[in-house]
Each structure stands twice: as structure tokens, then as C-alpha cells.
Amino acid sequence: LPAAAVDVTRILVRCDASLSIGSGHVIRCRSLARLLQQRGGEVQFLCRRQSGDLIALLEEEFRVLSLPEQRFSSCEGLEVRELYGAWLGCSQVQDADDCLKALASAGVHSADWLVVDHYGLDATWQSQLQIGLANDAPARLLVIDDLADRPHQADLLLDQNFFGAATEQRYKGLVPADCRQLLGPHYALLGSEYAQLQPLVPVRTELRRVLVFFGGVDPDNLTGRSLQALMDQALGHLSVDVVLGRQSPHWEEVADLVAQRPFTTLHRPLPSLAGLIARADLAIGAGGATTWERVCLRLPSLVVAIAANQRPFSEALDQAGHLQLLGDAATVSAEQVRSALLARIAGFVQQDAGCDLTDGLGASRLALAMLGPQAPISLRPAGAGDEAQLLRWANDPQVRANSFSPDPILSSAHHHWFSKGLADPNRLFLIASSTDGCPIGYICFDRQRLPAEGVDGEAMVDLSLDRCVRGHGLTADLVRLGLQVMEQRWGPDIEAVADVQTTKRLRNACFTRSGFVQERISPASAPVLGCES
């Protein structure tokens, strides 16, 4: 008999790299594409040929449809938004037409997902592509953005940057009301090696090794300025790793400085910086995508904003104590870098490098949002390392809106509650994970003995799912698995009870589908739902 047809999810990715754009957009899209491909997706890239593109790199793993090279005009004197349009090399309408022609020539007339990561593209291009690919049904659209400065016709939006309390409001009015927004470094698109290395990186106790990396091209020669600072005799004992591409206009000058300085190694761009980041004690670098790689592996950093869009989130990270922002590329001097390094030598302290901001599993979360979970979830006991994750879930605006108190939970109060709960035999705290170990939610049971009623007692239930997996019907599975573990822990006679607001119909429905029935109305006008374990 012929084999059954396999339903393959087809994904198209539109992104570019160039000497002007840099490599960050392509590299983070590659991280996502690898996971989507591992999970059975069929991924194709659409990239425009230009000086510094990474088409050959992508072709090692994926099919790439290349768009015709365009003659670029000078970018000097352009405003920021005009600059991003110049990076595209043509109008959005022309780019969309080029994409549809390339797809038609390749026999591609539809897709399940269209992924776009380009500052020069907005809802104009997105709508044209969706219409052109609506052979069977319109492709769902994932937009990866950092700027929040233009409208998107998105079903799903990712912005991995940190803006403190302002993070959740940045795309208000720029995306459809039903667009799911994955915001912040929790969803940062990193290679799988970062999540693997994070728990293995030891606490840094002194400054011995420095990593210098400002991108493969570094047109402003910040690498050279950093090396000039490191020539100071008081810094001569430091080992230094420098990463720079041969296409950099400053390669020879940097190579000469490296040759003059002992304990200094010049590396060409590597498949991953994870190894160098893990063994360094301090980084000097740009405020781009590498920020999240350094943050994940807890590497303190001296940062220079080399583009206008890097300044806002670098300032927010500096104010939160996660890095030290030295300033902009046009103004930061070698002397400024030297002073910052000497200050670190004088009193090295393991800076809070933002390790609670990302665990390196952002690409897994985005893949889950796109494809859904592929197998039943599993539960494990919560541990001390889950504290920041749980606070993030608890303070998700959607979670607060469904809670009795909408106010954010303070980290100090959460720490006290969480630490006490881990040691409490009457609290059962379980973390839900996907098949690759990515934490996606939790369920908690608090046992309260009621001897007067002749039963072992009841356990109040609390739960939450990461927004990346909401809408995939996992709540019933989470409750069912949680009840099984509760019965194993405390026996079959205990009753699970959920206290929910009458106005939250969706939350009530989730518990009802999980086997709970309404028992009573509490004084706070919230129905109390009970379920025999």
C-alpha cells in the first residue's frame, strides 16, 4: 500500500544580510529555521543578493531563493526610516513582486507561514505577499521586529528586546488586535548551544579574559579603539579574544594591533560565539543581537550602541544593571574604554548580566507558537532555578488581568513566597515542559487539611501557561497530569479546588473541560470549582 501523505508545514523566510545591514537578522532567522526544520517544517529563505549577504551560508542547510541584486544609492544624510528603506534596495512593492516571481519560478504558490525580518518592510509588503500566496488559504504571518515604528499585518509578532515596563505597550496600534505578541528576551532567538551552556558557566570571580566583538565588519573600527585601550600596561596581563571578518575595512590595522599585544588572539567569524563568551570574564561589544548571547551566558559587558535602534534597549539594560553602556559609536573613545576597564580591574564584581532575562530557549518557544506542541507535555518538580521564570509568568499582563489582583507581583514578595513553598510539604509545585525541555507553564497545589469534614483535605489549584503555547488546548492536559501527580503525592482522597472569577469565562471553561464542577460561590463572588483527584 502507498504510504500515507505527510502534512508538511511550509515556511518562507524573508530576511537579508549585507555590509550595511549586518548579519543579525539572518543569524537569528537561521536559529528559528533550524528548529522548525527539526520539527518537520519545510523552510525556504528569500534573500536579496548584495555585498556581504549570507546566502552561501544559508545554502549549507536550506533552500534559498535569491532576489536580483539592486544598485544601492548612497545612504549618507538619510533619516533612520529612509535608511532602512535604502537597505531594501527598491520599493516594497518591487520587493514583493520580486519575491512572488521567484516563488512562482520555483513552483511555490502557497505557504503555511510567512516569516519576515527586515526593517524596510511593513504591512504594505506583508499584505501583497499574503494575497499572492493565498492559493489554498492565506499564509499566517510572523513578523520579527525591533523598532515598533511601523504597522504590521501580523498574526504573530516577536520583539526580543528589553524596554522595562514599556515593553508590553510598544506595538499598541501597530498590529491587529488578535495578533499574539511575544515580547522581551524570554523569546530571544539564540542557537541551541546557549541553553545547553548556560547552567555550565561558572561564576566569574576575577577579570582575566576579555572578548572584543563588534560584528564581522565593524565599519567604525571600535575593535581598534578597544585594542588601543587594552594596550595600557595596567591591562597587559589580560588575555584577549578578538573576532573580526576579513571583509572589514580595518582588518589590517586590527591585525597589526593584535600582533603588538601579548596574550591576544584574532579570530575570524565563528559558527557560534558561545565558546568564547563562556570562557570570557568581560565583553566589549555592540548592542545588537549578540547582547542576548552574552546575557544568556551571564557575561558582563561594556557596550557601544553602533546603530540608532540599539540605543533605547541598551539604555534600559544599563538602567536595570544588566550591562554598562559606554555611549554611541561616534563618541566613545579608546580612553573611555580604558577607564572602564581599569575600574573593573580595581574592583571586579560579578555584574548582574541579565541571566534571568533569557534561558536561551526563545527559538523553541517561537517554534511552539507556530507549530504547536508535537507530543504530550511532561511535569517535573520546580527547583530554585525556576524562580525567575515563575515570576515572569505570574506578571504576564494577560495573567494579571485574569487574577484577583491586577497589580504586578514584586520580586521580593515572590522570592519569599517561592522559597517558602519549595520547603513546604503541603505545596506541590510542578513545571510543565515540552519534549525538548523548554518550560512552558506550571501548576501548583496548596493542600489544606479539613479533618472536621472527614476527608484528608483539599488542595487549591493555581496554574499558568507561557503565552507561546496558549490557544493549543494544553490546559486540560496540564490539569490532568497535575492531578495524577497530586494523587501520587497525597493519596486519592484529597479534592482539588480552583477559585476563579465569574467574569473570566475562558478560565472557567478550561477548568470545566478538565473535569471540575462548580460547588459554591465564595464571599468574593467567585465560583469555587472542585474536582476529585
Side-chain angles (χ1 to χ4, degrees):
L1 295 175
V6 178
D7 187 13
V8 176
T9 302
R10 293 177 174 83
I11 303 137
L12 302 174
V13 183
R14 174 73 183 96
C15 61
D16 281 336
S18 73
L19 296 181
S20 299
I21 296 172
S23 60
H25 300 272
V26 167
I27 296 302
R28 67 186 180 186
C29 285
R30 184 183 64 171
S31 295
L32 173 62
R34 284 172 170 171
L35 277 175
L36 294 171
Q37 190 166 263
Q38 290 170 11
R39 297 179 187 189
E42 182 182 279
V43 183
Q44 294 186 51
F45 279 80
L46 287 154
C47 300
R48 191 168 295 282
R49 291 201 176 277
Q50 48 199 310
S51 181
D53 67 50
L54 296 178
I55 290 175
L57 178 69
L58 289 173
E59 287 177 333
E60 295 175 3
E61 302 177 64
F62 308 99
R63 185 182 182 187
V64 181
L65 302 179
S66 58
L67 307 178
E69 186 170 0
Q70 297 283 346
R71 183 183 297 276
F72 284 81
S73 58
S74 173
C75 295
E76 292 184 11
L78 295 180
E79 296 294 331
V80 172
R81 175 46 44 203
E82 296 174 327
L83 175 64
Y84 298 146
W87 285 355
L88 190 62
C90 60
S91 70
Q92 293 193 63
V93 172
Q94 180 63 55
D95 191 274
D97 188 58
D98 288 346
C99 288
L100 292 172
K101 287 179 179 177
L103 291 167
S105 296
V108 179
H109 302 286
S110 65
D112 298 292
W113 279 97
L114 174 62
V115 180
V116 56
D117 185 356
H118 201 299
Y119 295 162
L121 301 174
D122 61 22
T124 300
W125 183 94
Q126 296 154 11
S127 297
Q128 188 172 339
L129 258 291
Q130 284 188 304
I131 293 170
L133 290 171
N135 188 37
D136 300 316
R140 286 171 288 177
L141 178 64
L142 162 64
V143 173
I144 301 174
D145 193 23
D146 305 291
L147 305 177
D149 67 345
R150 62 206 189 282
H152 298 293
Q153 195 60 40
D155 299 284
L156 181 63
L157 179 135
L158 166 72
D159 185 333
Q160 62 189 22
N161 298 297
F162 176 86
F163 293 91
T167 299
E168 291 289 336
Q169 304 302 319
R170 299 183 70 231
Y171 289 87
K172 187 175 182 179
L174 296 177
V175 295
D178 59 352
C179 174
R180 181 179 302 186
Q181 300 179 42
L182 304 183
L183 305 174
H186 180 60
Y187 301 103
L189 300 178
L190 305 182
S192 59
E193 65 272 18
Y194 287 92
Q196 295 166 5
L197 277 174
Q198 189 192 57
L200 305 177
V201 176
V203 174
R204 297 168 174 91
T205 57
E206 59 180 312
L207 181 53
R208 296 170 297 182
R209 192 172 205 98
V210 176
L211 171 63
V212 179
F213 176 65
F214 286 94
V217 179
D218 186 15
D220 298 305
N221 199 20
L222 288 158
T223 304
R225 286 183 238 174
S226 300
L227 283 170
Q228 289 169 4
L230 284 159
M231 292 294 182
D232 188 288
Q233 187 174 358
L235 302 171
H237 65 288
L238 296 177
S239 296
V240 178
D241 290 299
V242 180
V243 182
L244 187 67
R246 286 300 298 263
Q247 73 272 32
S248 170
H250 308 290
W251 167 267
E252 293 183 359
E253 179 184 345
V254 168
D256 183 59
L257 289 169
V258 167
Q260 295 177 43
R261 190 186 185 282
F263 314 120
T264 305
T265 305
L266 178 57
H267 306 265
R268 294 187 183 184
L270 305 167
S272 171
L273 288 175
L276 293 179
I277 292 174
R279 70 175 183 172
D281 301 303
L282 180 73
I284 310 173
T290 311
T291 296
W292 312 119
E293 297 173 353
R294 299 188 301 252
V295 161
C296 182
L297 299 185
R298 305 181 179 92
L299 181 62
S301 303
L302 304 177
V303 169
V304 180
I306 64 172
N309 66 291
Q310 294 180 6
R311 183 77 193 218
F313 73 81
S314 296
E315 287 179 341
L317 289 166
D318 181 286
Q319 293 167 7
H322 298 316
L323 55 77
Q324 181 179 348
L325 178 61
L326 299 181
D328 297 323
T331 60
V332 171
S333 65
E335 174 58 28
Q336 190 176 352
V337 177
R338 186 184 75 89
S339 297
L341 286 167
L342 289 173
R344 295 291 179 128
I345 290 287
F348 184 83
V349 177
Q350 172 61 41
Q351 176 188 5
D352 176 9
C355 59
D356 292 339
L357 295 177
T358 179
D359 56 8
L361 293 169
S364 291
R365 294 187 178 94
L366 187 52
L368 284 167
M370 295 174 69
L371 303 181
Q374 294 184 310
I377 60 176
S378 60
L379 298 182
R380 62 168 175 81
D386 295 308
E387 180 177 345
Q389 183 78 269
L390 286 160
L391 180 60
R392 182 181 296 109
W393 286 328
N395 278 336
D396 184 297
Q398 297 171 15
V399 173
R400 301 303 335 137
N402 285 316
S403 302
F404 290 103
S405 172
D407 297 329
I409 299 171
L410 298 177
S411 58
S412 56
H414 175 76
H415 175 73
H416 176 76
W417 171 83
F418 182 72
S419 300
K420 183 179 179 181
L422 286 183
D424 188 348
N426 290 313
R427 175 171 292 167
L428 178 59
F429 226 140
L430 304 169
I431 302 296
S433 299
S434 61
T435 53
D436 61 356
C438 178
I440 57 173
Y442 76 89
I443 187 166
C444 177
F445 299 91
D446 280 305
R447 181 170 61 170
Q448 304 172 23
R449 294 184 179 277
L450 301 172
E453 298 184 13
V455 296
D456 192 39
E458 63 182 27
M460 298 299 297
V461 184
D462 183 31
L463 62 88
S464 183
L465 286 170
D466 193 288
R467 65 173 67 178
C468 72
V469 293
R470 293 174 197 163
H472 290 295
L474 291 180
T475 300
D477 288 341
L478 177 60
V479 173
R480 176 180 54 81
L481 292 172
L483 291 173
Q484 292 174 1
V485 178
M486 185 187 75
E487 181 176 347
Q488 294 169 2
R489 175 70 63 87
W490 293 327
D493 296 326
I494 194 164
E495 183 181 53
V497 176
D499 204 0
V500 298
Q501 298 184 54
T502 55
T503 56
K504 306 306 178 185
R505 295 180 180 178
L506 180 59
R507 191 168 176 84
N508 287 334
C510 289
F511 277 106
T512 300
R513 288 197 302 270
S514 302
F516 282 66
V517 295
Q518 183 171 320
E519 291 187 340
R520 60 186 183 273
I521 301 294
S522 74
S525 298
V528 178
L529 310 179
C531 180
E532 298 273 344
S533 64

